[in-house]
Amino acid sequence: MQSVCVSVWCVCVCVSVLLRSAISQPPTESDTYTECTDGYHWDPQTEHCKDINECESIPDACKGEMKCFNHYGGYLCLPRSASVIPAPEAAVTPTEPFNPCPLGYEPQGDSCIDVDECERDEDDCQPSQQCINTLGAFTCQCPEGYRKVGTECIDIDECRYRYCQHRCVNVPGSFSCQCEPGFQLAGNNRSCIDVNECDMGAPCSQRCYNTYGTFHCRCDQGYEVGPDGFACNDIDECSFSSYLCQYQCVNEPGKFSCVCPEGYQLLGTRLCQDINECETGEHQCTESQTCVNIHGRYQCVDANRCQDPYVQVSENRCVCPITKPACRELPFSIVHRYMTITSDRAVPSDIFQIQATSVSRGAYNTFRIRSGDDNSDFYIRQINNISAMLVLARAVSGPREYTLDLEMVSVNPLLSYQGNYQSSSALRLSIYVGPYTF
């Protein structure tokens, strides 16, 4: 720290200015040995950095009425009436020539180069060791198969590192590999390769697979190895599981096959699919009958199923004329529909959707099962004003047949001249339950 006393217009003000505490400055470690920080230049005679007098080297360093005062590493511009009293300078201690290079390096020109301690014989390696020069240092390397402990080289037990596939025998400076019975040493002298007994006529009846030191007999799909380990016996796959086939499993040599009941055909290799006799023409229905396909069989129904007092107006649709007194308490129309379901179906299960074909403006519709569900196996879930869903409530087994009358009751308060006008229509649904779960 250097104190500078500045006197301006007869007023004395003391200003502390942080300055360099030494006249010369060695270069920083990151610079080359001829480089200095700002405000200094290299003096080759003293081999140190010397302060630059900016007041002399910079023309008009201070402008106006200001006067230039040089100090270490920079300069000050103060009024001309100011005076500077420098602090006593620290004594310069002579130092040895500066080496800017790291340990293990020496300067050459503008750069640092590595010192080869091995070439200069400046290493401390043992006679059995090899000196290896590295950047800035050196290492002493032991011969192959040895490792350095302190300054000595001791033998490496390579067997500890599992270089051999089977057995390892350590020797000074090296090791050797040996194989178990039934194997021989490979070309790399480490791995063991098996003696292939299958190529030497192993007594397998179907397939032979070589393994380390021995062999195994294997059989084709559908067979298993016998007690002697060589023969192959047929596997009865059907005895293992009842789920191999959807209906029935038949064992055959080396395999099995699935069969389906009458009225069904094989789908793929395991599943059964209903045969639609109505489409294939394999039915005995007359021209006055309609063929209805159901699971495992078919049903012949009369083309005209309208019963008095109903009359047929179109295919599957019957109407009860309002002119007939007997029609007053009956649904105005009945539509016949047919469907089939499998046995033991998961419940509850949506099986049939009812949809109104025409609705009067202002009418309110409700749906119900009018008849045919004596055991409450079904129920109606209304979706909206014009549709509802028939739901199977309980699991049922076949063969079995239901005939449900599903009724839509319409109430229209807008027809006030007739009171709350009410009408209904029915859908007669024949449900055939198949004998199987498929």
Side-chain angles (χ1 to χ4, degrees), residues 403-438:
T403 300
L404 303 180
D405 278 355
L406 309 179
E407 185 178 26
M408 182 183 76
V409 179
S410 300
V411 177
N412 195 336
L414 297 179
L415 303 177
S416 57
Y417 62 91
Q418 294 181 350
N420 284 337
Y421 178 75
Q422 177 175 313
S423 64
S424 68
S425 59
L427 186 147
R428 184 159 294 167
L429 180 63
S430 297
I431 304 175
Y432 302 94
V433 183
Y436 306 106
T437 57
F438 50 84

PDB file of all heavy atoms in Angstrom, residues 403-438:
ATOM      1  N   THR A 403     -89.559 -67.547 -25.253  1.00  0.00           N
ATOM      2  CA  THR A 403     -90.322 -66.662 -26.127  1.00  0.00           C
ATOM      3  C   THR A 403     -90.792 -65.488 -25.270  1.00  0.00           C
ATOM      4  O   THR A 403     -91.696 -65.629 -24.432  1.00  0.00           O
ATOM      5  CB  THR A 403     -91.517 -67.370 -26.763  1.00  0.00           C
ATOM      6  OG1 THR A 403     -91.049 -68.482 -27.536  1.00  0.00           O
ATOM      7  CG2 THR A 403     -92.282 -66.417 -27.675  1.00  0.00           C
ATOM      8  N   LEU A 404     -90.133 -64.325 -25.449  1.00  0.00           N
ATOM      9  CA  LEU A 404     -90.422 -63.141 -24.647  1.00  0.00           C
ATOM     10  C   LEU A 404     -91.198 -62.138 -25.475  1.00  0.00           C
ATOM     11  O   LEU A 404     -90.863 -61.872 -26.634  1.00  0.00           O
ATOM     12  CB  LEU A 404     -89.120 -62.495 -24.168  1.00  0.00           C
ATOM     13  CG  LEU A 404     -88.140 -63.359 -23.355  1.00  0.00           C
ATOM     14  CD1 LEU A 404     -86.911 -62.526 -22.990  1.00  0.00           C
ATOM     15  CD2 LEU A 404     -88.803 -63.904 -22.099  1.00  0.00           C
ATOM     16  N   ASP A 405     -92.261 -61.576 -24.866  1.00  0.00           N
ATOM     17  CA  ASP A 405     -92.967 -60.461 -25.466  1.00  0.00           C
ATOM     18  C   ASP A 405     -92.451 -59.181 -24.813  1.00  0.00           C
ATOM     19  O   ASP A 405     -92.722 -58.916 -23.633  1.00  0.00           O
ATOM     20  CB  ASP A 405     -94.480 -60.586 -25.253  1.00  0.00           C
ATOM     21  CG  ASP A 405     -95.123 -61.509 -26.275  1.00  0.00           C
ATOM     22  OD1 ASP A 405     -94.409 -61.963 -27.191  1.00  0.00           O
ATOM     23  OD2 ASP A 405     -96.325 -61.791 -26.148  1.00  0.00           O
ATOM     24  N   LEU A 406     -91.703 -58.396 -25.584  1.00  0.00           N
ATOM     25  CA  LEU A 406     -91.136 -57.137 -25.093  1.00  0.00           C
ATOM     26  C   LEU A 406     -92.021 -56.011 -25.591  1.00  0.00           C
ATOM     27  O   LEU A 406     -92.205 -55.828 -26.793  1.00  0.00           O
ATOM     28  CB  LEU A 406     -89.704 -56.967 -25.612  1.00  0.00           C
ATOM     29  CG  LEU A 406     -88.767 -58.157 -25.391  1.00  0.00           C
ATOM     30  CD1 LEU A 406     -87.389 -57.868 -25.982  1.00  0.00           C
ATOM     31  CD2 LEU A 406     -88.645 -58.495 -23.911  1.00  0.00           C
ATOM     32  N   GLU A 407     -92.618 -55.257 -24.661  1.00  0.00           N
ATOM     33  CA  GLU A 407     -93.648 -54.271 -25.004  1.00  0.00           C
ATOM     34  C   GLU A 407     -93.137 -52.848 -24.765  1.00  0.00           C
ATOM     35  O   GLU A 407     -92.466 -52.560 -23.778  1.00  0.00           O
ATOM     36  CB  GLU A 407     -94.898 -54.509 -24.171  1.00  0.00           C
ATOM     37  CG  GLU A 407     -96.060 -53.600 -24.555  1.00  0.00           C
ATOM     38  CD  GLU A 407     -97.306 -53.894 -23.727  1.00  0.00           C
ATOM     39  OE1 GLU A 407     -97.157 -54.403 -22.591  1.00  0.00           O
ATOM     40  OE2 GLU A 407     -98.407 -53.615 -24.201  1.00  0.00           O
ATOM     41  N   MET A 408     -93.478 -51.969 -25.732  1.00  0.00           N
ATOM     42  CA  MET A 408     -93.236 -50.538 -25.575  1.00  0.00           C
ATOM     43  C   MET A 408     -94.587 -49.860 -25.416  1.00  0.00           C
ATOM     44  O   MET A 408     -95.448 -49.928 -26.315  1.00  0.00           O
ATOM     45  CB  MET A 408     -92.497 -49.963 -26.782  1.00  0.00           C
ATOM     46  CG  MET A 408     -92.184 -48.463 -26.633  1.00  0.00           C
ATOM     47  SD  MET A 408     -91.389 -47.734 -28.088  1.00  0.00           S
ATOM     48  CE  MET A 408     -92.802 -47.610 -29.195  1.00  0.00           C
ATOM     49  N   VAL A 409     -94.785 -49.212 -24.271  1.00  0.00           N
ATOM     50  CA  VAL A 409     -96.045 -48.521 -23.976  1.00  0.00           C
ATOM     51  C   VAL A 409     -95.817 -47.032 -24.164  1.00  0.00           C
ATOM     52  O   VAL A 409     -94.895 -46.454 -23.573  1.00  0.00           O
ATOM     53  CB  VAL A 409     -96.526 -48.824 -22.547  1.00  0.00           C
ATOM     54  CG1 VAL A 409     -97.819 -48.066 -22.258  1.00  0.00           C
ATOM     55  CG2 VAL A 409     -96.719 -50.318 -22.360  1.00  0.00           C
ATOM     56  N   SER A 410     -96.674 -46.392 -24.997  1.00  0.00           N
ATOM     57  CA  SER A 410     -96.561 -44.968 -25.286  1.00  0.00           C
ATOM     58  C   SER A 410     -97.748 -44.223 -24.691  1.00  0.00           C
ATOM     59  O   SER A 410     -98.901 -44.614 -24.897  1.00  0.00           O
ATOM     60  CB  SER A 410     -96.507 -44.723 -26.796  1.00  0.00           C
ATOM     61  OG  SER A 410     -95.397 -45.368 -27.372  1.00  0.00           O
ATOM     62  N   VAL A 411     -97.451 -43.151 -23.958  1.00  0.00           N
ATOM     63  CA  VAL A 411     -98.479 -42.286 -23.379  1.00  0.00           C
ATOM     64  C   VAL A 411     -98.267 -40.893 -23.950  1.00  0.00           C
ATOM     65  O   VAL A 411     -97.176 -40.334 -23.848  1.00  0.00           O
ATOM     66  CB  VAL A 411     -98.406 -42.263 -21.840  1.00  0.00           C
ATOM     67  CG1 VAL A 411     -99.447 -41.285 -21.283  1.00  0.00           C
ATOM     68  CG2 VAL A 411     -98.602 -43.652 -21.277  1.00  0.00           C
ATOM     69  N   ASN A 412     -99.354 -40.311 -24.562  1.00  0.00           N
ATOM     70  CA  ASN A 412     -99.246 -39.010 -25.209  1.00  0.00           C
ATOM     71  C   ASN A 412    -100.273 -38.052 -24.600  1.00  0.00           C
ATOM     72  O   ASN A 412    -101.460 -38.079 -24.960  1.00  0.00           O
ATOM     73  CB  ASN A 412     -99.463 -39.143 -26.708  1.00  0.00           C
ATOM     74  CG  ASN A 412     -99.004 -37.901 -27.462  1.00  0.00           C
ATOM     75  OD1 ASN A 412     -98.945 -36.815 -26.899  1.00  0.00           O
ATOM     76  ND2 ASN A 412     -98.691 -38.064 -28.741  1.00  0.00           N
ATOM     77  N   PRO A 413     -99.885 -37.189 -23.665  1.00  0.00           N
ATOM     78  CA  PRO A 413    -100.833 -36.253 -23.039  1.00  0.00           C
ATOM     79  C   PRO A 413    -101.304 -35.154 -23.989  1.00  0.00           C
ATOM     80  O   PRO A 413    -102.267 -34.445 -23.680  1.00  0.00           O
ATOM     81  CB  PRO A 413    -100.034 -35.684 -21.873  1.00  0.00           C
ATOM     82  CG  PRO A 413     -98.614 -35.815 -22.287  1.00  0.00           C
ATOM     83  CD  PRO A 413     -98.533 -37.068 -23.110  1.00  0.00           C
ATOM     84  N   LEU A 414    -100.654 -34.985 -25.150  1.00  0.00           N
ATOM     85  CA  LEU A 414    -101.070 -33.933 -26.080  1.00  0.00           C
ATOM     86  C   LEU A 414    -102.418 -34.264 -26.721  1.00  0.00           C
ATOM     87  O   LEU A 414    -103.137 -33.372 -27.167  1.00  0.00           O
ATOM     88  CB  LEU A 414    -100.014 -33.740 -27.163  1.00  0.00           C
ATOM     89  CG  LEU A 414     -98.646 -33.254 -26.671  1.00  0.00           C
ATOM     90  CD1 LEU A 414     -97.680 -33.116 -27.846  1.00  0.00           C
ATOM     91  CD2 LEU A 414     -98.780 -31.924 -25.948  1.00  0.00           C
ATOM     92  N   LEU A 415    -102.706 -35.545 -26.786  1.00  0.00           N
ATOM     93  CA  LEU A 415    -103.997 -35.941 -27.360  1.00  0.00           C
ATOM     94  C   LEU A 415    -105.051 -35.908 -26.258  1.00  0.00           C
ATOM     95  O   LEU A 415    -105.614 -36.908 -25.838  1.00  0.00           O
ATOM     96  CB  LEU A 415    -103.888 -37.339 -27.981  1.00  0.00           C
ATOM     97  CG  LEU A 415    -102.801 -37.486 -29.066  1.00  0.00           C
ATOM     98  CD1 LEU A 415    -102.734 -38.923 -29.561  1.00  0.00           C
ATOM     99  CD2 LEU A 415    -103.092 -36.533 -30.217  1.00  0.00           C
ATOM    100  N   SER A 416    -105.295 -34.664 -25.740  1.00  0.00           N
ATOM    101  CA  SER A 416    -106.156 -34.498 -24.565  1.00  0.00           C
ATOM    102  C   SER A 416    -107.613 -34.774 -24.871  1.00  0.00           C
ATOM    103  O   SER A 416    -108.385 -35.093 -23.962  1.00  0.00           O
ATOM    104  CB  SER A 416    -106.017 -33.071 -24.009  1.00  0.00           C
ATOM    105  OG  SER A 416    -106.323 -32.128 -25.029  1.00  0.00           O
ATOM    106  N   TYR A 417    -107.976 -34.644 -26.123  1.00  0.00           N
ATOM    107  CA  TYR A 417    -109.377 -34.885 -26.439  1.00  0.00           C
ATOM    108  C   TYR A 417    -109.735 -36.345 -26.255  1.00  0.00           C
ATOM    109  O   TYR A 417    -110.917 -36.711 -26.199  1.00  0.00           O
ATOM    110  CB  TYR A 417    -109.694 -34.440 -27.876  1.00  0.00           C
ATOM    111  CG  TYR A 417    -108.931 -35.196 -28.932  1.00  0.00           C
ATOM    112  CD1 TYR A 417    -109.463 -36.361 -29.508  1.00  0.00           C
ATOM    113  CD2 TYR A 417    -107.694 -34.746 -29.354  1.00  0.00           C
ATOM    114  CE1 TYR A 417    -108.746 -37.048 -30.470  1.00  0.00           C
ATOM    115  CE2 TYR A 417    -106.971 -35.421 -30.310  1.00  0.00           C
ATOM    116  CZ  TYR A 417    -107.519 -36.576 -30.890  1.00  0.00           C
ATOM    117  OH  TYR A 417    -106.808 -37.260 -31.850  1.00  0.00           O
ATOM    118  N   GLN A 418    -108.742 -37.185 -26.142  1.00  0.00           N
ATOM    119  CA  GLN A 418    -108.990 -38.597 -25.872  1.00  0.00           C
ATOM    120  C   GLN A 418    -108.468 -38.987 -24.488  1.00  0.00           C
ATOM    121  O   GLN A 418    -108.259 -40.167 -24.223  1.00  0.00           O
ATOM    122  CB  GLN A 418    -108.303 -39.464 -26.933  1.00  0.00           C
ATOM    123  CG  GLN A 418    -108.882 -39.302 -28.324  1.00  0.00           C
ATOM    124  CD  GLN A 418    -108.191 -40.203 -29.339  1.00  0.00           C
ATOM    125  OE1 GLN A 418    -107.181 -40.801 -29.042  1.00  0.00           O
ATOM    126  NE2 GLN A 418    -108.765 -40.287 -30.531  1.00  0.00           N
ATOM    127  N   GLY A 419    -108.251 -38.008 -23.636  1.00  0.00           N
ATOM    128  CA  GLY A 419    -107.627 -38.301 -22.345  1.00  0.00           C
ATOM    129  C   GLY A 419    -106.133 -38.510 -22.549  1.00  0.00           C
ATOM    130  O   GLY A 419    -105.545 -38.063 -23.528  1.00  0.00           O
ATOM    131  N   ASN A 420    -105.470 -39.171 -21.628  1.00  0.00           N
ATOM    132  CA  ASN A 420    -104.074 -39.549 -21.814  1.00  0.00           C
ATOM    133  C   ASN A 420    -104.042 -40.741 -22.757  1.00  0.00           C
ATOM    134  O   ASN A 420    -104.140 -41.902 -22.352  1.00  0.00           O
ATOM    135  CB  ASN A 420    -103.410 -39.887 -20.478  1.00  0.00           C
ATOM    136  CG  ASN A 420    -103.095 -38.637 -19.683  1.00  0.00           C
ATOM    137  OD1 ASN A 420    -102.963 -37.556 -20.250  1.00  0.00           O
ATOM    138  ND2 ASN A 420    -103.015 -38.785 -18.371  1.00  0.00           N
ATOM    139  N   TYR A 421    -103.857 -40.440 -24.014  1.00  0.00           N
ATOM    140  CA  TYR A 421    -103.904 -41.479 -25.029  1.00  0.00           C
ATOM    141  C   TYR A 421    -102.754 -42.456 -24.820  1.00  0.00           C
ATOM    142  O   TYR A 421    -101.607 -42.054 -24.670  1.00  0.00           O
ATOM    143  CB  TYR A 421    -103.818 -40.857 -26.419  1.00  0.00           C
ATOM    144  CG  TYR A 421    -103.802 -41.874 -27.526  1.00  0.00           C
ATOM    145  CD1 TYR A 421    -104.967 -42.540 -27.902  1.00  0.00           C
ATOM    146  CD2 TYR A 421    -102.613 -42.163 -28.177  1.00  0.00           C
ATOM    147  CE1 TYR A 421    -104.937 -43.472 -28.923  1.00  0.00           C
ATOM    148  CE2 TYR A 421    -102.579 -43.100 -29.197  1.00  0.00           C
ATOM    149  CZ  TYR A 421    -103.751 -43.753 -29.567  1.00  0.00           C
ATOM    150  OH  TYR A 421    -103.728 -44.687 -30.566  1.00  0.00           O
ATOM    151  N   GLN A 422    -103.035 -43.766 -24.794  1.00  0.00           N
ATOM    152  CA  GLN A 422    -102.030 -44.793 -24.559  1.00  0.00           C
ATOM    153  C   GLN A 422    -102.123 -45.853 -25.642  1.00  0.00           C
ATOM    154  O   GLN A 422    -103.212 -46.271 -26.028  1.00  0.00           O
ATOM    155  CB  GLN A 422    -102.227 -45.436 -23.172  1.00  0.00           C
ATOM    156  CG  GLN A 422    -101.244 -46.571 -22.880  1.00  0.00           C
ATOM    157  CD  GLN A 422    -101.390 -47.088 -21.463  1.00  0.00           C
ATOM    158  OE1 GLN A 422    -101.456 -46.304 -20.514  1.00  0.00           O
ATOM    159  NE2 GLN A 422    -101.463 -48.382 -21.317  1.00  0.00           N
ATOM    160  N   SER A 423    -100.961 -46.227 -26.133  1.00  0.00           N
ATOM    161  CA  SER A 423    -100.885 -47.298 -27.116  1.00  0.00           C
ATOM    162  C   SER A 423     -99.666 -48.140 -26.804  1.00  0.00           C
ATOM    163  O   SER A 423     -98.802 -47.737 -26.028  1.00  0.00           O
ATOM    164  CB  SER A 423    -100.794 -46.726 -28.537  1.00  0.00           C
ATOM    165  OG  SER A 423     -99.581 -45.996 -28.688  1.00  0.00           O
ATOM    166  N   SER A 424     -99.591 -49.324 -27.421  1.00  0.00           N
ATOM    167  CA  SER A 424     -98.443 -50.196 -27.186  1.00  0.00           C
ATOM    168  C   SER A 424     -98.173 -51.029 -28.425  1.00  0.00           C
ATOM    169  O   SER A 424     -99.057 -51.249 -29.259  1.00  0.00           O
ATOM    170  CB  SER A 424     -98.684 -51.108 -25.970  1.00  0.00           C
ATOM    171  OG  SER A 424     -99.713 -52.053 -26.265  1.00  0.00           O
ATOM    172  N   SER A 425     -96.933 -51.466 -28.505  1.00  0.00           N
ATOM    173  CA  SER A 425     -96.511 -52.401 -29.550  1.00  0.00           C
ATOM    174  C   SER A 425     -95.547 -53.382 -28.910  1.00  0.00           C
ATOM    175  O   SER A 425     -94.914 -53.081 -27.899  1.00  0.00           O
ATOM    176  CB  SER A 425     -95.853 -51.657 -30.712  1.00  0.00           C
ATOM    177  OG  SER A 425     -94.725 -50.933 -30.252  1.00  0.00           O
ATOM    178  N   ALA A 426     -95.467 -54.563 -29.499  1.00  0.00           N
ATOM    179  CA  ALA A 426     -94.679 -55.624 -28.879  1.00  0.00           C
ATOM    180  C   ALA A 426     -93.688 -56.207 -29.874  1.00  0.00           C
ATOM    181  O   ALA A 426     -93.891 -56.166 -31.093  1.00  0.00           O
ATOM    182  CB  ALA A 426     -95.576 -56.715 -28.325  1.00  0.00           C
ATOM    183  N   LEU A 427     -92.607 -56.725 -29.307  1.00  0.00           N
ATOM    184  CA  LEU A 427     -91.621 -57.472 -30.083  1.00  0.00           C
ATOM    185  C   LEU A 427     -91.547 -58.864 -29.482  1.00  0.00           C
ATOM    186  O   LEU A 427     -91.201 -59.021 -28.296  1.00  0.00           O
ATOM    187  CB  LEU A 427     -90.262 -56.784 -30.030  1.00  0.00           C
ATOM    188  CG  LEU A 427     -89.154 -57.362 -30.922  1.00  0.00           C
ATOM    189  CD1 LEU A 427     -88.228 -56.255 -31.397  1.00  0.00           C
ATOM    190  CD2 LEU A 427     -88.339 -58.415 -30.180  1.00  0.00           C
ATOM    191  N   ARG A 428     -91.924 -59.868 -30.241  1.00  0.00           N
ATOM    192  CA  ARG A 428     -91.909 -61.252 -29.762  1.00  0.00           C
ATOM    193  C   ARG A 428     -90.554 -61.858 -30.125  1.00  0.00           C
ATOM    194  O   ARG A 428     -90.266 -62.151 -31.281  1.00  0.00           O
ATOM    195  CB  ARG A 428     -93.051 -62.056 -30.362  1.00  0.00           C
ATOM    196  CG  ARG A 428     -93.158 -63.482 -29.838  1.00  0.00           C
ATOM    197  CD  ARG A 428     -94.556 -64.031 -30.058  1.00  0.00           C
ATOM    198  NE  ARG A 428     -95.538 -63.294 -29.258  1.00  0.00           N
ATOM    199  CZ  ARG A 428     -96.859 -63.385 -29.437  1.00  0.00           C
ATOM    200  NH1 ARG A 428     -97.353 -64.135 -30.419  1.00  0.00           N
ATOM    201  NH2 ARG A 428     -97.678 -62.702 -28.672  1.00  0.00           N
ATOM    202  N   LEU A 429     -89.718 -62.000 -29.114  1.00  0.00           N
ATOM    203  CA  LEU A 429     -88.344 -62.441 -29.312  1.00  0.00           C
ATOM    204  C   LEU A 429     -88.200 -63.896 -28.898  1.00  0.00           C
ATOM    205  O   LEU A 429     -88.433 -64.260 -27.738  1.00  0.00           O
ATOM    206  CB  LEU A 429     -87.383 -61.570 -28.486  1.00  0.00           C
ATOM    207  CG  LEU A 429     -85.902 -61.892 -28.581  1.00  0.00           C
ATOM    208  CD1 LEU A 429     -85.397 -61.691 -30.008  1.00  0.00           C
ATOM    209  CD2 LEU A 429     -85.091 -61.030 -27.606  1.00  0.00           C
ATOM    210  N   SER A 430     -87.804 -64.747 -29.852  1.00  0.00           N
ATOM    211  CA  SER A 430     -87.519 -66.155 -29.565  1.00  0.00           C
ATOM    212  C   SER A 430     -86.024 -66.299 -29.336  1.00  0.00           C
ATOM    213  O   SER A 430     -85.211 -65.981 -30.219  1.00  0.00           O
ATOM    214  CB  SER A 430     -87.954 -67.040 -30.741  1.00  0.00           C
ATOM    215  OG  SER A 430     -89.357 -66.973 -30.938  1.00  0.00           O
ATOM    216  N   ILE A 431     -85.662 -66.732 -28.120  1.00  0.00           N
ATOM    217  CA  ILE A 431     -84.251 -66.886 -27.727  1.00  0.00           C
ATOM    218  C   ILE A 431     -83.955 -68.370 -27.604  1.00  0.00           C
ATOM    219  O   ILE A 431     -84.587 -69.079 -26.815  1.00  0.00           O
ATOM    220  CB  ILE A 431     -83.956 -66.146 -26.410  1.00  0.00           C
ATOM    221  CG1 ILE A 431     -84.327 -64.664 -26.521  1.00  0.00           C
ATOM    222  CG2 ILE A 431     -82.483 -66.316 -26.020  1.00  0.00           C
ATOM    223  CD1 ILE A 431     -84.175 -63.906 -25.236  1.00  0.00           C
ATOM    224  N   TYR A 432     -82.985 -68.836 -28.370  1.00  0.00           N
ATOM    225  CA  TYR A 432     -82.548 -70.236 -28.314  1.00  0.00           C
ATOM    226  C   TYR A 432     -81.200 -70.306 -27.610  1.00  0.00           C
ATOM    227  O   TYR A 432     -80.245 -69.661 -28.007  1.00  0.00           O
ATOM    228  CB  TYR A 432     -82.431 -70.824 -29.713  1.00  0.00           C
ATOM    229  CG  TYR A 432     -83.728 -70.768 -30.505  1.00  0.00           C
ATOM    230  CD1 TYR A 432     -83.989 -69.715 -31.367  1.00  0.00           C
ATOM    231  CD2 TYR A 432     -84.673 -71.772 -30.376  1.00  0.00           C
ATOM    232  CE1 TYR A 432     -85.163 -69.658 -32.092  1.00  0.00           C
ATOM    233  CE2 TYR A 432     -85.866 -71.725 -31.107  1.00  0.00           C
ATOM    234  CZ  TYR A 432     -86.104 -70.671 -31.961  1.00  0.00           C
ATOM    235  OH  TYR A 432     -87.282 -70.623 -32.671  1.00  0.00           O
ATOM    236  N   VAL A 433     -81.154 -71.069 -26.517  1.00  0.00           N
ATOM    237  CA  VAL A 433     -79.917 -71.252 -25.754  1.00  0.00           C
ATOM    238  C   VAL A 433     -79.238 -72.536 -26.243  1.00  0.00           C
ATOM    239  O   VAL A 433     -79.827 -73.616 -26.195  1.00  0.00           O
ATOM    240  CB  VAL A 433     -80.196 -71.333 -24.242  1.00  0.00           C
ATOM    241  CG1 VAL A 433     -78.880 -71.447 -23.473  1.00  0.00           C
ATOM    242  CG2 VAL A 433     -80.988 -70.116 -23.779  1.00  0.00           C
ATOM    243  N   GLY A 434     -78.002 -72.399 -26.727  1.00  0.00           N
ATOM    244  CA  GLY A 434     -77.265 -73.560 -27.238  1.00  0.00           C
ATOM    245  C   GLY A 434     -76.830 -74.510 -26.129  1.00  0.00           C
ATOM    246  O   GLY A 434     -76.785 -74.140 -24.948  1.00  0.00           O
ATOM    247  N   PRO A 435     -76.449 -75.736 -26.501  1.00  0.00           N
ATOM    248  CA  PRO A 435     -76.079 -76.729 -25.487  1.00  0.00           C
ATOM    249  C   PRO A 435     -74.674 -76.561 -24.937  1.00  0.00           C
ATOM    250  O   PRO A 435     -74.325 -77.205 -23.940  1.00  0.00           O
ATOM    251  CB  PRO A 435     -76.200 -78.055 -26.249  1.00  0.00           C
ATOM    252  CG  PRO A 435     -75.929 -77.688 -27.676  1.00  0.00           C
ATOM    253  CD  PRO A 435     -76.454 -76.308 -27.876  1.00  0.00           C
ATOM    254  N   TYR A 436     -73.847 -75.704 -25.544  1.00  0.00           N
ATOM    255  CA  TYR A 436     -72.463 -75.578 -25.117  1.00  0.00           C
ATOM    256  C   TYR A 436     -72.133 -74.102 -24.857  1.00  0.00           C
ATOM    257  O   TYR A 436     -72.936 -73.212 -25.144  1.00  0.00           O
ATOM    258  CB  TYR A 436     -71.511 -76.140 -26.195  1.00  0.00           C
ATOM    259  CG  TYR A 436     -71.853 -77.552 -26.602  1.00  0.00           C
ATOM    260  CD1 TYR A 436     -72.450 -77.808 -27.830  1.00  0.00           C
ATOM    261  CD2 TYR A 436     -71.587 -78.641 -25.762  1.00  0.00           C
ATOM    262  CE1 TYR A 436     -72.781 -79.097 -28.220  1.00  0.00           C
ATOM    263  CE2 TYR A 436     -71.910 -79.926 -26.137  1.00  0.00           C
ATOM    264  CZ  TYR A 436     -72.502 -80.161 -27.361  1.00  0.00           C
ATOM    265  OH  TYR A 436     -72.832 -81.430 -27.732  1.00  0.00           O
ATOM    266  N   THR A 437     -70.956 -73.908 -24.311  1.00  0.00           N
ATOM    267  CA  THR A 437     -70.507 -72.547 -23.971  1.00  0.00           C
ATOM    268  C   THR A 437     -69.876 -71.850 -25.170  1.00  0.00           C
ATOM    269  O   THR A 437     -69.348 -70.742 -25.022  1.00  0.00           O
ATOM    270  CB  THR A 437     -69.504 -72.572 -22.819  1.00  0.00           C
ATOM    271  OG1 THR A 437     -68.398 -73.400 -23.187  1.00  0.00           O
ATOM    272  CG2 THR A 437     -70.143 -73.123 -21.558  1.00  0.00           C
ATOM    273  N   PHE A 438     -69.899 -72.498 -26.339  1.00  0.00           N
ATOM    274  CA  PHE A 438     -69.300 -71.904 -27.539  1.00  0.00           C
ATOM    275  C   PHE A 438     -70.315 -71.935 -28.672  1.00  0.00           C
ATOM    276  O   PHE A 438     -71.342 -72.578 -28.588  1.00  0.00           O
ATOM    277  CB  PHE A 438     -68.026 -72.647 -27.937  1.00  0.00           C
ATOM    278  CG  PHE A 438     -68.160 -74.143 -28.024  1.00  0.00           C
ATOM    279  CD1 PHE A 438     -68.638 -74.754 -29.166  1.00  0.00           C
ATOM    280  CD2 PHE A 438     -67.848 -74.926 -26.921  1.00  0.00           C
ATOM    281  CE1 PHE A 438     -68.777 -76.136 -29.237  1.00  0.00           C
ATOM    282  CE2 PHE A 438     -67.963 -76.306 -26.979  1.00  0.00           C
ATOM    283  CZ  PHE A 438     -68.428 -76.915 -28.139  1.00  0.00           C
TER     284      PHE A 438
END
